[in-house]
Amino acid sequence: TGCGTGDIVVSDFDNGAGDFKKALGTSMELLDGDSPDGSTALKVGNRVRNWQGAFINMRSLLRDCVLPDEVYLFKAKVKLVKSTVQAGGSIESNCMSAGTDCPALNLHAMSAENQLAWKTLYQLPGVAAVQDGEWFDMVAPITFTAEHFDPTSKYQQLYIAGPESGVDMYLDDVSIVLPGAEFFPDASNPLTLCDDLIVNGDAETSPDHFFPWVLEGNRGAHLSLKTETVDGVDNQYFSVEGRNKMWTSIKAVLLHDCIVANSIYKFKARVRLHSTEPAKVRLTIRSHLTDPVPDQPAFKVDSVGDCPPVSGEMG
């Protein structure tokens, strides 16, 4: 009751700051005409610590509406401005110049026993290569556990922070929502429900979110959606940057109930590598075991096949 769509946060700041508050010691103001679309943006200034930013107290109504272990889609438009420069210091934010101290969505809580806990739900990796003074998107699927919003806790806060001292943060269009029906198979037509075991394989379902695909890989890698125009046609695609492990890529859960044993399926994908050396792309299926052997992995990995070598020079 009272949870509506189940969305936790939806704020464009056009009608005020809403549930957002400023961190202790900072300033917060609403700026008309300063957002990417010319509407209102929220600015957090006078920051002297990385943890200082804008936060939401998860009051009981919001907390009780959170569904544990369900995927939520987080998005925020962010702009960084280095407003205070120390003598001899850089005029650029660390996120821009070094790929460190980039914005993050965090959870902060205090238990009934006065134990403090912090968790980073998502941090923009440095390879995203943001530019100071320019708006960029933070986009990620996030998941909460029942422990994150324990009703006996004294408080829980969701906050956006991360950059170092002297960097002002501008925010707009912040949302944490459940995935819409467009991200799931159309169950209204049983005849076509199982035609494809992959959902959103063409990366065209949403201009913002790549769900149900997620990043599988090393810390610092970055999954995003990008668009290019070829012969007058716009094409949106998945991009994985910052890879330093062979297995870093994207993954998605197949429609398990649609899989028919001993059937033959055709896999198709268009892949482009930016590499100085020829490399192969391999398709891998990871199956989670219902009855794993103790002290052994609870899954098995099968290599289905690989593509001929390609590289940046080979197209």
Side-chain angles (χ1 to χ4, degrees):
T1 59
C3 291
T5 61
D7 298 341
I8 300 176
V9 178
V10 178
S11 184
D12 59 11
F13 306 114
D14 290 343
N15 296 308
D19 292 321
F20 280 88
K21 303 180 184 301
K22 63 178 181 179
L24 183 66
T26 65
S27 63
M28 187 171 76
E29 58 182 316
L30 294 168
L31 302 176
D32 291 334
D34 207 355
S35 74
D37 61 2
S39 57
T40 304
L42 182 73
K43 174 188 175 183
V44 181
N46 296 330
R47 300 179 58 258
V48 296
R49 296 286 188 271
N50 293 65
W51 55 266
Q52 291 178 318
F55 70 92
I56 291 177
N57 279 318
M58 295 298 291
R59 61 187 190 276
S60 60
L61 175 60
L62 286 175
R63 181 189 63 207
D64 295 344
C65 289
V66 174
L67 301 175
D69 304 319
E70 292 288 340
V71 174
Y72 284 84
L73 304 182
F74 163 68
K75 181 186 177 184
K77 293 185 179 296
V78 184
K79 180 172 68 174
L80 305 180
V81 175
K82 187 73 173 283
S83 60
T84 303
V85 179
Q86 303 294 331
S90 173
I91 61 173
E92 300 173 344
S93 71
N94 290 345
C95 189
M96 175 178 172
S97 62
T100 61
D101 302 306
C102 292
L105 175 68
N106 304 288
L107 177 67
H108 180 211
M110 177 182 283
S111 70
E113 294 76 28
N114 297 325
Q115 296 295 314
L116 294 174
W118 291 265
K119 181 177 179 59
T120 298
L121 298 170
Y122 173 73
Q123 183 162 28
L124 187 76
V127 73
V130 303
Q131 301 294 306
D132 290 349
E134 296 182 7
W135 287 95
F136 57 88
D137 290 339
M138 292 177 65
V139 177
I142 59 175
T143 304
F144 303 102
T145 66
E147 290 75 17
H148 286 158
F149 293 106
D150 184 346
T152 67
S153 295
K154 293 187 174 179
Y155 68 82
Q156 293 112 349
Q157 295 176 342
L158 284 170
Y159 64 100
I160 302 174
E164 73 279 12
S165 172
V167 177
D168 295 342
M169 295 181 61
Y170 295 71
L171 303 173
D172 193 27
D173 295 333
V174 182
S175 59
I176 302 177
V177 302
L178 290 169
E182 67 273 17
F183 292 103
F184 299 93
D186 184 6
S188 65
N189 191 344
L191 296 179
T192 61
L193 178 62
C194 293
D195 283 356
D196 197 335
L197 301 182
I198 292 176
V199 178
N200 193 23
D202 61 359
E204 298 285 355
T205 296
S206 165
D208 303 315
H209 296 285
F210 37 79
F211 183 81
W213 295 88
V214 295
L215 179 68
E216 170 87 347
N218 56 274
R219 185 181 180 89
H222 182 45
L223 168 60
S224 63
L225 292 176
K226 293 187 177 180
T227 302
E228 64 181 359
T229 302
V230 179
D231 297 330
V233 178
D234 292 338
N235 177 56
Q236 189 164 272
Y237 60 95
F238 303 108
S239 171
V240 181
E241 301 171 281
R243 299 178 65 253
N244 61 25
K245 300 292 184 183
M246 182 178 66
W247 43 269
T248 299
S249 185
I250 59 174
K251 68 175 182 179
V253 177
L254 299 178
L255 299 180
H256 187 270
D257 292 341
C258 287
I259 298 175
V260 179
N262 303 314
S263 295
I264 296 176
Y265 290 90
K266 181 176 71 174
F267 171 77
K268 179 182 178 181
R270 301 180 66 188
V271 182
R272 178 170 56 194
L273 299 183
H274 296 270
S275 170
T276 57
E277 299 293 334
K280 292 183 178 181
V281 175
R282 184 173 66 241
L283 171 64
T284 300
I285 293 181
R286 182 167 62 188
S287 304
H288 293 264
L289 306 177
T290 56
D291 189 19
V293 177
D295 301 323
Q296 296 295 319
F299 58 87
K300 67 172 184 175
V301 176
D302 296 303
S303 179
V304 179
D306 47 39
C307 301
V310 294
S311 71
E313 297 297 326
M314 299 167 61

